[in-house]
Amino acid sequence: MLGAAAFGFNEGPTATPFEHMPNITLSVPAQAFDAGTRQRLLQAIHDAAVVATGIGPDPRQQALCWVMLHEVAQGQWGCGGRDASAHCLPVQVQVLAPHGVLDALQRADYAQQLHQAIASCLAADEPRTLLTSIVIDDVADGRWAANGRIWHLADFVQAAGYAHLQPTAAIG
């Protein structure tokens, strides 16, 4: 198991306080993707998050973006009240991001990037229609905690290096 040090953070009593954001959870039908495709999917979703949120290039900043994939057992996912898995490939995505990181235009662009990231991972001969449901939730300031500490937008901006939220240098 990788410790915090693998991501450039201190461990133990002098641990670097860090938060994971955004949190992205994908739910997919079980066995819809093989192991290699699941890894490509996780990376594509991560890459879309970096572009959409402006997470900085430092590996410590990149490590703050968590992507989790949950497989839903056959017969446990209904579309329109029935199992439609023979005809469609449903993928549900939930993104939790600190309030203030994404505006309406960025959110719309992010949804498109997420859909395209998933579509790019499908096999060329996939016969089912991809159906994505993407929910992008803003977590109110002061309502996100990690390791027992409440985080605020300024903490996220400093830790993740959100490019579009960095203070601009004074001109003159």
Side-chain angles (χ1 to χ4, degrees):
M1 183 160 93
L2 294 176
F7 299 101
F9 299 106
N10 298 327
E11 294 185 274
T14 60
T16 305
F18 71 99
E19 173 55 84
H20 38 83
M21 73 299 205
N23 279 350
I24 307 160
T25 305
L26 291 105
S27 296
V28 301
Q31 302 172 348
F33 302 102
D34 63 31
T37 303
R38 285 192 301 270
Q39 289 305 305
R40 286 194 309 279
L41 182 58
L42 291 171
Q43 186 64 52
I45 296 299
H46 167 85
D47 293 347
V50 168
V51 170
T53 63
I55 292 173
D58 186 299
R60 293 172 295 183
Q61 295 168 327
Q62 297 276 316
L64 300 176
C65 177
W66 286 19
V67 183
M68 294 146 286
L69 189 143
H70 295 284
E71 292 188 311
V72 179
Q74 185 174 356
Q76 300 296 308
W77 194 319
C79 294
R82 60 190 171 99
D83 182 1
S85 61
H87 305 289
C88 66
L89 178 59
V91 177
Q92 182 181 8
V93 181
Q94 182 179 19
V95 177
L96 298 175
H99 179 75
V101 171
L102 299 168
D103 63 23
L105 185 59
Q106 290 166 317
R107 217 176 273 106
D109 186 52
Y110 190 14
Q112 183 62 36
Q113 288 179 46
L114 288 167
H115 179 82
Q116 290 302 324
I118 297 163
S120 73
C121 292
L122 297 180
D125 61 348
E126 172 61 61
R128 298 173 292 177
T129 302
L130 174 63
L131 301 175
T132 60
S133 175
I134 301 168
V135 176
I136 303 172
D137 286 327
D138 290 340
V139 178
D141 194 46
R143 297 206 176 198
W144 200 318
N147 303 326
R149 180 176 162 256
I150 296 290
W151 278 59
H152 297 278
L153 182 58
D155 300 318
F156 290 112
V157 171
Q158 181 181 8
Y162 293 128
H164 65 289
L165 297 176
Q166 294 297 320
T168 56
I171 299 175

PDB file of all heavy atoms in Angstrom, residues 28-49:
ATOM      1  N   VAL A  28     -20.226   1.879 -12.707  1.00  0.00           N
ATOM      2  CA  VAL A  28     -20.337   1.226 -14.006  1.00  0.00           C
ATOM      3  C   VAL A  28     -20.865  -0.189 -13.791  1.00  0.00           C
ATOM      4  O   VAL A  28     -20.676  -0.764 -12.719  1.00  0.00           O
ATOM      5  CB  VAL A  28     -18.979   1.177 -14.749  1.00  0.00           C
ATOM      6  CG1 VAL A  28     -18.414   2.570 -14.963  1.00  0.00           C
ATOM      7  CG2 VAL A  28     -17.972   0.322 -14.018  1.00  0.00           C
ATOM      8  N   PRO A  29     -21.520  -0.759 -14.794  1.00  0.00           N
ATOM      9  CA  PRO A  29     -21.935  -2.155 -14.662  1.00  0.00           C
ATOM     10  C   PRO A  29     -20.716  -3.060 -14.505  1.00  0.00           C
ATOM     11  O   PRO A  29     -19.678  -2.842 -15.138  1.00  0.00           O
ATOM     12  CB  PRO A  29     -22.654  -2.444 -15.984  1.00  0.00           C
ATOM     13  CG  PRO A  29     -23.048  -1.105 -16.514  1.00  0.00           C
ATOM     14  CD  PRO A  29     -21.972  -0.168 -16.061  1.00  0.00           C
ATOM     15  N   ALA A  30     -20.835  -4.064 -13.647  1.00  0.00           N
ATOM     16  CA  ALA A  30     -19.742  -5.012 -13.432  1.00  0.00           C
ATOM     17  C   ALA A  30     -19.339  -5.650 -14.755  1.00  0.00           C
ATOM     18  O   ALA A  30     -20.193  -5.954 -15.594  1.00  0.00           O
ATOM     19  CB  ALA A  30     -20.165  -6.078 -12.425  1.00  0.00           C
ATOM     20  N   GLN A  31     -18.067  -5.815 -14.947  1.00  0.00           N
ATOM     21  CA  GLN A  31     -17.478  -6.453 -16.111  1.00  0.00           C
ATOM     22  C   GLN A  31     -17.719  -5.697 -17.413  1.00  0.00           C
ATOM     23  O   GLN A  31     -17.548  -6.265 -18.492  1.00  0.00           O
ATOM     24  CB  GLN A  31     -17.948  -7.904 -16.226  1.00  0.00           C
ATOM     25  CG  GLN A  31     -17.597  -8.705 -14.990  1.00  0.00           C
ATOM     26  CD  GLN A  31     -18.213 -10.086 -14.979  1.00  0.00           C
ATOM     27  OE1 GLN A  31     -19.088 -10.416 -15.772  1.00  0.00           O
ATOM     28  NE2 GLN A  31     -17.759 -10.912 -14.055  1.00  0.00           N
ATOM     29  N   ALA A  32     -18.093  -4.416 -17.310  1.00  0.00           N
ATOM     30  CA  ALA A  32     -18.263  -3.617 -18.523  1.00  0.00           C
ATOM     31  C   ALA A  32     -16.908  -3.254 -19.123  1.00  0.00           C
ATOM     32  O   ALA A  32     -16.805  -3.027 -20.326  1.00  0.00           O
ATOM     33  CB  ALA A  32     -19.050  -2.349 -18.220  1.00  0.00           C
ATOM     34  N   PHE A  33     -15.879  -3.208 -18.282  1.00  0.00           N
ATOM     35  CA  PHE A  33     -14.541  -2.844 -18.729  1.00  0.00           C
ATOM     36  C   PHE A  33     -13.539  -3.850 -18.177  1.00  0.00           C
ATOM     37  O   PHE A  33     -13.633  -4.253 -17.021  1.00  0.00           O
ATOM     38  CB  PHE A  33     -14.166  -1.444 -18.212  1.00  0.00           C
ATOM     39  CG  PHE A  33     -15.100  -0.361 -18.644  1.00  0.00           C
ATOM     40  CD1 PHE A  33     -16.058   0.141 -17.768  1.00  0.00           C
ATOM     41  CD2 PHE A  33     -15.031   0.178 -19.918  1.00  0.00           C
ATOM     42  CE1 PHE A  33     -16.922   1.151 -18.158  1.00  0.00           C
ATOM     43  CE2 PHE A  33     -15.888   1.188 -20.318  1.00  0.00           C
ATOM     44  CZ  PHE A  33     -16.843   1.673 -19.443  1.00  0.00           C
ATOM     45  N   ASP A  34     -12.548  -4.231 -18.993  1.00  0.00           N
ATOM     46  CA  ASP A  34     -11.493  -5.102 -18.486  1.00  0.00           C
ATOM     47  C   ASP A  34     -10.528  -4.275 -17.639  1.00  0.00           C
ATOM     48  O   ASP A  34     -10.642  -3.047 -17.569  1.00  0.00           O
ATOM     49  CB  ASP A  34     -10.777  -5.839 -19.626  1.00  0.00           C
ATOM     50  CG  ASP A  34     -10.052  -4.910 -20.592  1.00  0.00           C
ATOM     51  OD1 ASP A  34      -9.565  -3.829 -20.182  1.00  0.00           O
ATOM     52  OD2 ASP A  34      -9.943  -5.275 -21.775  1.00  0.00           O
ATOM     53  N   ALA A  35      -9.578  -4.929 -16.991  1.00  0.00           N
ATOM     54  CA  ALA A  35      -8.673  -4.254 -16.054  1.00  0.00           C
ATOM     55  C   ALA A  35      -7.897  -3.118 -16.728  1.00  0.00           C
ATOM     56  O   ALA A  35      -7.757  -2.032 -16.157  1.00  0.00           O
ATOM     57  CB  ALA A  35      -7.709  -5.256 -15.429  1.00  0.00           C
ATOM     58  N   GLY A  36      -7.381  -3.349 -17.916  1.00  0.00           N
ATOM     59  CA  GLY A  36      -6.636  -2.308 -18.620  1.00  0.00           C
ATOM     60  C   GLY A  36      -7.499  -1.110 -18.956  1.00  0.00           C
ATOM     61  O   GLY A  36      -7.068   0.040 -18.827  1.00  0.00           O
ATOM     62  N   THR A  37      -8.721  -1.378 -19.388  1.00  0.00           N
ATOM     63  CA  THR A  37      -9.640  -0.292 -19.730  1.00  0.00           C
ATOM     64  C   THR A  37     -10.042   0.478 -18.480  1.00  0.00           C
ATOM     65  O   THR A  37     -10.170   1.705 -18.519  1.00  0.00           O
ATOM     66  CB  THR A  37     -10.878  -0.843 -20.470  1.00  0.00           C
ATOM     67  OG1 THR A  37     -10.441  -1.551 -21.628  1.00  0.00           O
ATOM     68  CG2 THR A  37     -11.809   0.280 -20.882  1.00  0.00           C
ATOM     69  N   ARG A  38     -10.229  -0.218 -17.365  1.00  0.00           N
ATOM     70  CA  ARG A  38     -10.546   0.477 -16.104  1.00  0.00           C
ATOM     71  C   ARG A  38      -9.424   1.449 -15.742  1.00  0.00           C
ATOM     72  O   ARG A  38      -9.690   2.576 -15.323  1.00  0.00           O
ATOM     73  CB  ARG A  38     -10.803  -0.512 -14.977  1.00  0.00           C
ATOM     74  CG  ARG A  38     -12.155  -1.203 -15.071  1.00  0.00           C
ATOM     75  CD  ARG A  38     -12.523  -1.958 -13.810  1.00  0.00           C
ATOM     76  NE  ARG A  38     -11.572  -2.981 -13.437  1.00  0.00           N
ATOM     77  CZ  ARG A  38     -11.615  -4.245 -13.843  1.00  0.00           C
ATOM     78  NH1 ARG A  38     -12.591  -4.654 -14.640  1.00  0.00           N
ATOM     79  NH2 ARG A  38     -10.700  -5.117 -13.453  1.00  0.00           N
ATOM     80  N   GLN A  39      -8.177   1.041 -15.918  1.00  0.00           N
ATOM     81  CA  GLN A  39      -7.051   1.932 -15.611  1.00  0.00           C
ATOM     82  C   GLN A  39      -7.026   3.128 -16.561  1.00  0.00           C
ATOM     83  O   GLN A  39      -6.779   4.258 -16.137  1.00  0.00           O
ATOM     84  CB  GLN A  39      -5.720   1.169 -15.677  1.00  0.00           C
ATOM     85  CG  GLN A  39      -5.531   0.205 -14.533  1.00  0.00           C
ATOM     86  CD  GLN A  39      -5.680   0.880 -13.179  1.00  0.00           C
ATOM     87  OE1 GLN A  39      -5.022   1.861 -12.872  1.00  0.00           O
ATOM     88  NE2 GLN A  39      -6.580   0.347 -12.345  1.00  0.00           N
ATOM     89  N   ARG A  40      -7.298   2.902 -17.845  1.00  0.00           N
ATOM     90  CA  ARG A  40      -7.365   4.013 -18.808  1.00  0.00           C
ATOM     91  C   ARG A  40      -8.510   4.950 -18.451  1.00  0.00           C
ATOM     92  O   ARG A  40      -8.382   6.176 -18.558  1.00  0.00           O
ATOM     93  CB  ARG A  40      -7.519   3.487 -20.234  1.00  0.00           C
ATOM     94  CG  ARG A  40      -6.241   2.892 -20.802  1.00  0.00           C
ATOM     95  CD  ARG A  40      -6.306   2.677 -22.310  1.00  0.00           C
ATOM     96  NE  ARG A  40      -7.472   1.961 -22.781  1.00  0.00           N
ATOM     97  CZ  ARG A  40      -7.620   0.637 -22.770  1.00  0.00           C
ATOM     98  NH1 ARG A  40      -6.659  -0.136 -22.303  1.00  0.00           N
ATOM     99  NH2 ARG A  40      -8.720   0.076 -23.241  1.00  0.00           N
ATOM    100  N   LEU A  41      -9.631   4.387 -18.017  1.00  0.00           N
ATOM    101  CA  LEU A  41     -10.789   5.187 -17.634  1.00  0.00           C
ATOM    102  C   LEU A  41     -10.462   6.059 -16.422  1.00  0.00           C
ATOM    103  O   LEU A  41     -10.763   7.263 -16.409  1.00  0.00           O
ATOM    104  CB  LEU A  41     -11.979   4.273 -17.342  1.00  0.00           C
ATOM    105  CG  LEU A  41     -13.297   4.925 -16.969  1.00  0.00           C
ATOM    106  CD1 LEU A  41     -13.766   5.877 -18.054  1.00  0.00           C
ATOM    107  CD2 LEU A  41     -14.354   3.853 -16.714  1.00  0.00           C
ATOM    108  N   LEU A  42      -9.839   5.475 -15.398  1.00  0.00           N
ATOM    109  CA  LEU A  42      -9.450   6.257 -14.218  1.00  0.00           C
ATOM    110  C   LEU A  42      -8.515   7.406 -14.606  1.00  0.00           C
ATOM    111  O   LEU A  42      -8.665   8.532 -14.128  1.00  0.00           O
ATOM    112  CB  LEU A  42      -8.785   5.355 -13.176  1.00  0.00           C
ATOM    113  CG  LEU A  42      -9.698   4.343 -12.490  1.00  0.00           C
ATOM    114  CD1 LEU A  42      -8.872   3.366 -11.657  1.00  0.00           C
ATOM    115  CD2 LEU A  42     -10.752   5.024 -11.650  1.00  0.00           C
ATOM    116  N   GLN A  43      -7.558   7.128 -15.487  1.00  0.00           N
ATOM    117  CA  GLN A  43      -6.616   8.170 -15.915  1.00  0.00           C
ATOM    118  C   GLN A  43      -7.320   9.236 -16.748  1.00  0.00           C
ATOM    119  O   GLN A  43      -7.069  10.435 -16.575  1.00  0.00           O
ATOM    120  CB  GLN A  43      -5.460   7.560 -16.713  1.00  0.00           C
ATOM    121  CG  GLN A  43      -4.377   8.573 -17.063  1.00  0.00           C
ATOM    122  CD  GLN A  43      -3.678   9.136 -15.842  1.00  0.00           C
ATOM    123  OE1 GLN A  43      -3.215   8.382 -15.001  1.00  0.00           O
ATOM    124  NE2 GLN A  43      -3.599  10.449 -15.732  1.00  0.00           N
ATOM    125  N   ALA A  44      -8.214   8.832 -17.647  1.00  0.00           N
ATOM    126  CA  ALA A  44      -8.934   9.800 -18.483  1.00  0.00           C
ATOM    127  C   ALA A  44      -9.821  10.718 -17.637  1.00  0.00           C
ATOM    128  O   ALA A  44      -9.895  11.923 -17.898  1.00  0.00           O
ATOM    129  CB  ALA A  44      -9.775   9.060 -19.531  1.00  0.00           C
ATOM    130  N   ILE A  45     -10.457  10.162 -16.612  1.00  0.00           N
ATOM    131  CA  ILE A  45     -11.299  10.974 -15.724  1.00  0.00           C
ATOM    132  C   ILE A  45     -10.428  11.923 -14.910  1.00  0.00           C
ATOM    133  O   ILE A  45     -10.758  13.096 -14.721  1.00  0.00           O
ATOM    134  CB  ILE A  45     -12.160  10.068 -14.816  1.00  0.00           C
ATOM    135  CG1 ILE A  45     -13.136   9.241 -15.662  1.00  0.00           C
ATOM    136  CG2 ILE A  45     -12.885  10.874 -13.752  1.00  0.00           C
ATOM    137  CD1 ILE A  45     -14.128  10.048 -16.478  1.00  0.00           C
ATOM    138  N   HIS A  46      -9.291  11.435 -14.434  1.00  0.00           N
ATOM    139  CA  HIS A  46      -8.334  12.296 -13.720  1.00  0.00           C
ATOM    140  C   HIS A  46      -7.891  13.447 -14.621  1.00  0.00           C
ATOM    141  O   HIS A  46      -7.894  14.609 -14.205  1.00  0.00           O
ATOM    142  CB  HIS A  46      -7.114  11.487 -13.267  1.00  0.00           C
ATOM    143  CG  HIS A  46      -5.974  12.341 -12.802  1.00  0.00           C
ATOM    144  ND1 HIS A  46      -5.892  12.818 -11.519  1.00  0.00           N
ATOM    145  CD2 HIS A  46      -4.898  12.824 -13.465  1.00  0.00           C
ATOM    146  CE1 HIS A  46      -4.799  13.558 -11.402  1.00  0.00           C
ATOM    147  NE2 HIS A  46      -4.182  13.573 -12.581  1.00  0.00           N
ATOM    148  N   ASP A  47      -7.498  13.126 -15.857  1.00  0.00           N
ATOM    149  CA  ASP A  47      -7.018  14.150 -16.786  1.00  0.00           C
ATOM    150  C   ASP A  47      -8.100  15.189 -17.065  1.00  0.00           C
ATOM    151  O   ASP A  47      -7.808  16.395 -17.136  1.00  0.00           O
ATOM    152  CB  ASP A  47      -6.548  13.510 -18.085  1.00  0.00           C
ATOM    153  CG  ASP A  47      -5.300  12.651 -17.903  1.00  0.00           C
ATOM    154  OD1 ASP A  47      -4.646  12.721 -16.836  1.00  0.00           O
ATOM    155  OD2 ASP A  47      -4.992  11.869 -18.839  1.00  0.00           O
ATOM    156  N   ALA A  48      -9.348  14.759 -17.205  1.00  0.00           N
ATOM    157  CA  ALA A  48     -10.451  15.706 -17.420  1.00  0.00           C
ATOM    158  C   ALA A  48     -10.607  16.628 -16.212  1.00  0.00           C
ATOM    159  O   ALA A  48     -10.857  17.831 -16.364  1.00  0.00           O
ATOM    160  CB  ALA A  48     -11.754  14.955 -17.697  1.00  0.00           C
ATOM    161  N   ALA A  49     -10.446  16.081 -15.012  1.00  0.00           N
ATOM    162  CA  ALA A  49     -10.555  16.895 -13.792  1.00  0.00           C
ATOM    163  C   ALA A  49      -9.451  17.939 -13.732  1.00  0.00           C
ATOM    164  O   ALA A  49      -9.691  19.098 -13.351  1.00  0.00           O
ATOM    165  CB  ALA A  49     -10.516  16.009 -12.548  1.00  0.00           C
TER     166      ALA A  49
END
